Amino acid sequence: ERLRQPAPSPYLSVDEAADYLRTRRQRIDDLLSQQQLTRIKEGHRTLIARVELEAYMRSETRQLL
């Protein structure tokens, strides 16, 4: 019997978001400051919705074409 992989979290930390976009953490901080990404505060943690990162990547790709 195969074990199921847990579904990926719908939220990523700033460091995880930087890894996901393959960029530096500073770039994510800049996008948050420019309000191009929305921050979600969970206690002391800042989270970013995975779907928002995917939408950002799609919009960036369209600008390159």
Side-chain angles (χ1 to χ4, degrees), residues 7-58:
S9 171
Y11 301 101
L12 293 100
S13 68
V14 174
D15 288 332
E16 290 169 332
D19 288 343
Y20 188 73
L21 295 183
R22 295 184 178 179
T23 190
R24 298 179 325 267
R25 179 193 168 99
Q26 184 60 51
R27 177 69 178 139
I28 301 299
D29 289 334
D30 292 344
L31 291 171
L32 290 167
S33 293
Q34 297 164 6
Q35 297 181 344
Q36 292 186 30
L37 294 175
T38 306
R39 75 182 79 231
I40 301 164
K41 292 298 285 183
E42 168 62 32
H44 293 287
R45 298 184 323 156
T46 297
L47 301 173
I48 302 163
R50 183 183 300 271
V51 294
E52 191 169 351
L53 289 168
E54 292 167 353
Y56 173 78
M57 285 192 315
R58 283 192 301 274

Side-chain angles (χ1 to χ4, degrees), residues 1-7:
E1 186 176 325
R2 288 188 348 184
L3 296 177
R4 284 184 159 183
Q5 291 285 342

